[in-house]
Amino acid sequence: MALVSVKDLHKSFGELEVLKGIDLEVEAGEVVSIIGRSGSGKSTLLRCLNQLERHDWGTIVLADQRLDGAAMSPGELSQNVGMVFQSFNLFPHKTVVENVMLAPLVVKQTPRGEARRIAESVLAKVGMSEKVDAYPAQLSGGQQQRVAIARALAMNPKVLLCDEVTSALDPELVGEVLRVLEELAREGMTLILVTHEMKFARDVSDRVVFMHQGRIHESGDPQTLFTQPRTPELSQFIASVL
Amino acid sequence: MTDFTLWDIVRNLLLAGRWTVVLSLIAFAGGALVGLVLTLARMGGLKPIRWLIRLYVDLFQGTPLLMQLFLAYFGAAVLGFDVSAWTAASVALTLFTSAFLCDIWRGCVEAVPSGQWQASRVLGLNYLQSMRHVILPQALRLAVPPTVGFSVQVIKGTALASVIGFVELTKAGTMLNNAAFAPFTIFALVALGYFILCYPLSRYARHLEKKLYGAGIR
C-alpha cells in the first residue's frame, strides 16, 4: 500500500481546469520530483496534497486515511504532511528557534522544554544550530530556507512537500538547501518536490513525474525519463531547460 | 475695553488647551476601543456584519466631522435627549475616530503577506491561532506608525467641537478675540498650541515608521 495515493484529482479555478485527473502513488521513503512548464498544474497538485487548495473531484489518501474534505483537521494534517515554500514564509517577528517551536507548542501542545529540544535537533539537522536566536531578516535566503525545512520537520510529518524551494535563491545558495534535502532523502524521508533543478531531480529522485496541461504526461525513473523521453512534449521540455 | 496682557491671553488659552487634550484623549481611547472591536468583527464576522461595518466606516469617512458634531448635538436634542456639548463632542469624535482606525487596522492586517497565512495553515494552526501568533503581532507593528499619525487628525478635529459651544483651544481663542480684539496674536497662539501638541506626534510617527522599515519586517 502506497503512503500517498491520489486518484482522479480534478481542480478548476473558475473556468480554467488546472488539474484534469491526476493519479499518483508515492511509496514511503520515495523521492518524487514533479517537473513541467509553469502553468502545467504542478504547484496546484502540491497545494491540493496539503489542502491549501480544495480539489473539486477525486480522493487523496495518506497512510490509509482520507485527508481531503473535512476528513482531517489542519492540526492532524500538519502532522502528516509538511510543506516548504518557494518564498520561505518564515515568521519575521519570531527568532529561528521560535519559528520552529511554534507549531509543536500551539498545535501539538508539546511542553516548552520538549519543544525546544525538538527544535534544536531539527535545526542541527539542517545545519542551523549556530543561528537559533537570529531573526529571519538576519539570515541569507539559503539559511532561511533551511530553517523553513526545520520548521516543517518539527511536526514530524510523514511526507514533505517542497514547492520550488530553490527558485527564490541566489545560485550560490542553492547547493546548501539541496544538500539538506538530499540528506533527508538518504534518511528515508518521503519527499515530493516541484522543482526546476533538473540535475537534482535526476540525481536524487527515485521517480520523476512530467506534468503537461493538467495531466501526468510521462513518469518513470530519472535516467530513462531524461535520456529517452517517449513523448515530444517531454523532449521539448528537456531541451528547453537543459 | 479692558486691557489684556499677553500673559492673560496665554494663560486663558493654556487653561482651555487642557480640554483640547482631554477631549483628544477621550476620542482616541474611545475610538481605539470601538475601532478594535469593529476591526475584529469585520475580519472574522459574517457577511451582513462585515457589510454593516463597511457602511459605518464609509458613512463616517464620507461626511464632514462638522456635520457629525451637529447631528450628535442638535440631532440628539431633536430626539429628546438633553446632551451636553461634552457628551456630544465625545461621542461624535469617538465614532469618527473608530471609523478611521477600523479602516487603518484592517489595512494593516491585510498587509501581512498571504504566505504567512499559508505557512501557519500548513503548520496546523487554525484561524484564531494563526491570528494570535502570526498575523496580529505583525499587523500590530505595521499599525503603530499610521495610528500615531492619525492621532494628529483627532487633535485637530477637536477644534470643530468649538462650534457646538465646547470651550477648548479654538473656542477660547474666539472668545478672547471678541474681548481683546487682537486676532493675529490670538489665533497665532492658538495655532502654536495645536502645533505643540501635534508636532511631537508627527515626528514620533515618522520615527516609528523608519524603525519599522529599518527592522526589515517586510
Side-chain angles (χ1 to χ4, degrees), chain B residues 1-2 12 14 31 44-45 57 65-66 98 102 108 121 124 127 138-139 150 155 163 169 175 192 200 208:
Chain B
M1 193 177 254
T2 24
N12 279 296
L14 281 175
V57 170
L65 176 58
L66 189 58
S98 72
C102 172
C108 292
R121 182 48 219 289
Y127 176 80
Q138 294 180 62
F150 180 72
I155 293 174
V163 299
L169 197 51
M175 287 158 70
L192 182 68
L208 287 172

Side-chain angles (χ1 to χ4, degrees), chain A residues 208-223:
Chain A
V208 175
V209 170
F210 172 63
M211 281 188 71
H212 184 68
Q213 294 182 348
R215 291 197 173 83
I216 293 182
H217 204 69
E218 213 173 303
S219 80
D221 75 276
Q223 279 312 325

Side-chain angles (χ1 to χ4, degrees), chain A residues 68-200:
Chain A
D68 47 322
M72 229 183 244
S73 70
E76 284 175 285
L77 194 58
S78 68
Q79 295 170 53
N80 284 300
V81 185
M83 183 158 189
V84 185
F85 299 88
Q86 178 178 349
S87 50
F88 329 137
N89 296 343
L90 292 180
F91 305 133
H93 59 298
K94 291 184 178 294
T95 62
V96 164
V97 72
E98 286 168 351
N99 261 277
V100 179
M101 286 167 70
L102 181 67
L105 283 176
V106 174
V107 179
K108 274 190 178 172
Q109 315 266 315
T110 312
R112 188 160 275 276
E114 170 76 359
R116 174 95 197 186
R117 202 189 54 70
I118 294 169
E120 279 168 358
S121 98
V122 289
L123 283 168
K125 187 175 277 188
V126 300
M128 289 298 294
S129 296
E130 307 289 302
K131 299 279 187 183
V132 286
D133 293 318
Y135 282 91
Q138 300 167 312
L139 304 177
S140 74
Q143 291 173 326
Q144 289 190 49
Q145 195 59 295
R146 286 190 277 149
V147 174
I149 293 171
R151 183 174 69 174
L153 292 178
M155 290 301 273
N156 198 20
K158 297 192 176 76
V159 50
L160 187 62
L161 311 177
C162 298
D163 191 5
E164 300 190 19
V165 292
T166 55
S167 298
L169 297 176
D170 293 334
E172 74 271 20
L173 302 175
V174 169
E176 62 186 78
V177 172
L178 293 184
R179 269 195 299 281
V180 167
L181 292 179
E182 226 178 306
E183 181 59 35
L184 287 176
R186 205 172 308 132
E187 286 175 13
M189 184 78 201
T190 310
L191 294 172
I192 304 177
L193 316 104
V194 167
T195 184
H196 293 298
E197 297 290 334
M198 292 305 145
K199 189 179 176 309
F200 181 83

Side-chain angles (χ1 to χ4, degrees), chain B residues 110-134:
Chain B
E110 286 174 359
V112 176
S114 65
Q116 295 290 310
W117 279 108
Q118 291 176 19
S120 59
R121 182 48 219 289
V122 302
L123 285 170
L125 278 70
N126 61 30
Y127 176 80
L128 284 177
Q129 292 167 336
S130 302
M131 241 344 171
R132 174 165 161 225
H133 295 284
V134 176

